[in-house]
Structure formats: structure tokens, C-alpha cells
Amino acid sequence: MSQVPPPADMTLQRSSRDATSVPTALAGWLATLLVDGAEPRVTLHSGVDANGMSSETLPLDVDWSEDGAARHGEYVARVAPAAADFPVFPRYELQDQYDAMRIVAERSEVPVPAVRWMEPTGAVLGTPFFLMDRVDGLIPQDVLPYNFGDNWLHDAGEDDQRRLQDASVGLLAGLHAIPDPQTTFAFLDPARHGHEGGSLLERTLARTVAWYDFAQADIGPSPLVERALAWLRLHLPTAPDGEAVLCWGDARIGNTIYRDFTPVAVLDWEMAAIGPRQLDVSWMLFAHQVFETITGMLGLPGMPHFLREEDVVAEYERLTGASLGDLTWYHVYNGLQWCIVFMRTGARQIHFGEIQRPEDIETLFHCKPLVERILDEAGA
């Protein structure tokens, strides 16, 4: 059984970037994109540390002149991490994220921030980035997790919590309803990056194996991950490729901005893919259960009534008319992905001197008890 680190250990340094140079660099870049004589001025705000473990998120304001009038814009820069900063993923396709958000905005009612400018070369900030509109609202926090208590979601009434839950499931239904996803989002097929052959789900699993290989090169292998992989290979579903949808990927309420318990912006598209709809539904459930496992081990009450599988599945099937069937394979698969995330974020914490390298890397896995339980129940 894994040991859960103190809550302070959940705060992660994401970058060694010198933030003081960012406003000048962005202003010079924007001057080439805005009208002549715009003379943009960039004000950088403090980063977002309560959510997310991968890309840098830099809130900023831009002021400029246009046609003799003062203009003001409020944006967020989504910046790929530098290789030296132990990124979570082997590659960061910022253009794919940008295009996925743009197409979702064009072809669905799912709220996404408007994407504005893309810088794909890394010449301005050292790594690629794009700017999107900043959206005001509240986000269920990851640090400390929202189900720990003393925050707007935990302290809300159960009617409002249920309203947020159902609306969040509605986001998945809206994304999965975008027609012809395999053509529209062909750039999200794992085959694009060399994971060819077999079914779409086989290619997806192959991409995850490559991700694990990338992670263990720095921190060593995980018996739990390899146990999960063996079971996944043996029980691979025969999901027809023709039933694939656009999967948000990191389908968590912690990646959503809400106002009055209603979603107003869907964030974090770096795990977007085409695949079975069950991937997203399982991820939303699994993410909450990770936090519930931690509260249980710490003796906190948590939110056991919230995001229950039977409720989420029933609402999703009501909205879509689709039958999800048994989600066990997808829970194991998403548990494996969470383990890999913790391998990479743990390696980063070691790199930045935030923690000592543990003798057993699986003590870094906040999700370990949950993954073990799911594997035991599956007979793995």
C-alpha cells in the first residue's frame, strides 16, 4: 500500500523559466502581429499553481493602441515545457491543442476559450506557446483537492453539486457528438507519431507504452504499471474504430471553469485524442476517485456522493443514447496513465530538489491504492 505524501508535496514547480523576461519577449512578438504602431505592453500575472501538472499557464494582460484608441485584452499563454524541466509527456503538440480547441468552438456548443495567436517555433519564449482568451470563473482545485473541504465546491449544497456534475457530463456528450471525428481530428490519431497498425485502441495503447518507456528511463520501472499493461493487453476490447469520438483526454472537472456551477470554459487539451467514448467517461470518474482515495487514507470524509459511477453513466447514456457497457478496461487504462503522470511529476520534484528520490518509486503514486483495488477486482 502506498504512502500518501503530506498535502504540501502536491505543489509542484513546473518550470525554471525566468518570468521577468517574458513580458518584453511577448510584447516584441505581439508587435509583429498587431497593427503598425500598436506598441503593445504586457503585464504578467502570477501563474496558476492550484491545478495541472504539465504545461505552464501564464495569465497576462495586453494593452495596445489601434486606430487611435486604447485596446485591452486579457489572455492566458499556454506554454510547452522545456526538455530540461522534466516534462510530463514525450512531446507537446501545441498546434494540435490549438487546432482542437478551434475546431471544437466551431463545431459544437462546448465552451472553450477563444484561441488567438500561435507561436510554433520556440523562438520567442524558448518553447512553443499560444495565447487564448482568459475566462473568469471558478475551478475545482487540485491543491488541496476540492474534496478535502473548505472550498466553494465542497461547501456547496448537494443540489448545486449535482447540477455541476450533470453539466460536466454534458460537456463529454457535446464533444462526443461532433460528427466525423476521425476525419475532422485526424491529426489526433496516434498513427501520426509512429504508432501504426492494429485498431485505434491498439494504437492508443502503443502510444501509452511508449510514454511509460519515456518515464521509466529517468526513474525506473514500476511493477504496478507493468501488471496493468499485461492485463490490458490480454483483455483489449474490440471497439470498432467507426465508433470513435473526439476524446478530451484530461476530462476532469479540475480542467473546467464554472460560473454558478455551470461550465463556461473547457481547458487543458494536451491529451486530446480520437478513441472510444469510454476513455473520457472513465477518466472523469477515475480522477475523482483518486482524490477520494486520498481523503479516505487521511481520515477525511471526502465527497462520496459526488461523481458516482452509476449517476455519471446514467446521465451520459440519457444525453447520448449510447451504451457504455463495462468500464473496467478503461479504468485500468486510465489508472495506468495516472501512474505514469506521477512517475514524471515525481522525477520533476526530484530534479528541482523538492523531494528526495524514494527507494520505491510507487510511493509517489497517489493513485496506487485505487489502481491496486481495480486490478484485484478485475482478477489481474
Side-chain angles (χ1 to χ4, degrees):
M1 191 67 66
S2 66
Q3 299 296 311
V4 177
D9 283 356
M10 296 180 184
T11 301
L12 304 173
Q13 182 170 340
R14 293 162 175 81
S15 173
S16 57
R17 189 184 311 279
D18 178 11
T20 61
S21 65
V22 170
T24 299
L26 286 178
W29 174 67
L30 285 168
T32 68
L33 301 173
L34 299 172
V35 298
D36 289 344
E39 298 183 355
R41 300 171 304 284
V42 174
T43 303
L44 187 66
H45 302 290
S46 58
V48 178
D49 292 328
N51 286 66
M53 295 183 287
S54 185
S55 298
E56 292 180 71
T57 301
L58 305 177
L60 55 96
D61 294 344
V62 181
D63 294 279
W64 73 97
S65 299
E66 186 172 335
D67 297 329
R71 299 296 179 93
H72 177 80
E74 298 180 348
Y75 305 107
V76 171
R78 189 73 170 166
V79 189
D85 288 340
F86 280 71
V88 170
F89 301 102
R91 61 174 71 238
Y92 282 77
E93 302 290 353
L94 268 291
Q95 188 67 57
D96 289 355
Q97 295 181 44
Y98 182 98
D99 290 339
M101 294 175 68
R102 175 182 55 79
I103 295 169
V104 166
E106 293 171 353
R107 305 200 181 192
S108 79
E109 298 301 317
V110 175
V112 294
V115 290
R116 296 298 177 180
W117 299 284
M118 175 76 206
E119 202 296 291
T121 69
V124 177
L125 295 182
T127 57
F129 67 92
F130 63 85
L131 295 191
M132 58 186 176
D133 286 0
R134 193 159 81 240
V135 179
D136 292 330
L138 298 172
I139 301 176
Q141 65 191 45
D142 291 344
V143 182
L144 296 171
Y146 57 83
N147 65 331
F148 275 41
D150 193 26
N151 61 79
W152 66 274
L153 178 56
H154 178 276
D155 298 341
E158 288 196 17
D159 287 347
D160 285 333
Q161 291 174 349
R162 182 57 181 259
R163 188 152 57 93
L164 181 146
Q165 172 183 300
D166 288 347
S168 302
V169 175
L171 295 174
L172 302 186
L175 291 171
H176 298 172
I178 296 175
D180 195 19
Q182 287 188 279
T183 300
T184 304
F185 299 99
F187 56 92
L188 298 178
D189 190 312
R192 182 180 174 196
H193 298 301
H195 306 294
E196 300 176 354
S199 68
L200 177 57
L201 202 52
E202 287 174 309
R203 299 195 298 275
T204 299
L205 184 57
R207 179 180 59 189
T208 302
V209 171
W211 183 22
Y212 171 59
D213 291 340
F214 166 75
Q216 69 163 313
D218 285 315
I219 203 166
S222 159
L224 181 62
V225 169
E226 293 179 6
R227 176 186 171 194
L229 276 173
W231 186 90
L232 289 166
R233 290 182 174 119
L234 190 62
H235 297 86
L236 189 74
T238 55
D241 285 5
E243 295 180 5
V245 299
L246 167 67
C247 290
W248 174 8
D250 199 356
R252 302 187 301 114
I253 62 170
N255 284 333
T256 309
I257 300 176
Y258 297 89
R259 287 201 291 267
D260 190 27
F261 302 93
T262 299
V264 293
V266 174
L267 311 174
D268 287 11
W269 288 86
E270 60 205 357
M271 294 180 70
I274 49 175
R277 63 184 71 237
Q278 289 90 342
L279 288 173
D280 267 351
V281 177
S282 168
W283 189 272
M284 183 172 283
L285 294 166
F286 191 92
H288 178 66
Q289 286 304 311
V290 171
F291 290 159
E292 284 295 285
T293 299
I294 297 172
T295 56
M297 295 181 70
L298 295 176
L300 300 173
M303 295 173 64
H305 62 284
F306 184 65
L307 285 175
R308 297 188 307 170
E309 182 164 332
E310 57 266 38
D311 297 332
V312 168
V313 167
E315 178 65 8
Y316 182 88
E317 292 184 345
R318 183 189 72 81
L319 291 172
T320 64
S323 176
L324 292 173
D326 183 5
L327 293 177
T328 301
W329 192 93
Y330 301 96
H331 291 338
V332 173
Y333 175 75
N334 285 328
L336 179 153
Q337 292 199 100
W338 273 74
C339 289
I340 299 172
V341 168
F342 286 128
M343 290 175 73
R344 291 303 297 167
T345 56
R348 183 191 295 161
Q349 287 183 290
I350 294 167
H351 170 71
F352 282 117
E354 295 171 333
I355 62 172
Q356 295 295 316
R357 185 184 186 93
E359 292 185 10
D360 177 3
I361 65 164
E362 291 182 1
T363 60
L364 301 170
F365 299 179
H366 299 292
C367 59
K368 183 176 181 178
L370 177 59
V371 176
E372 289 177 326
R373 176 170 62 79
I374 293 171
L375 285 169
D376 288 344
E377 291 173 353

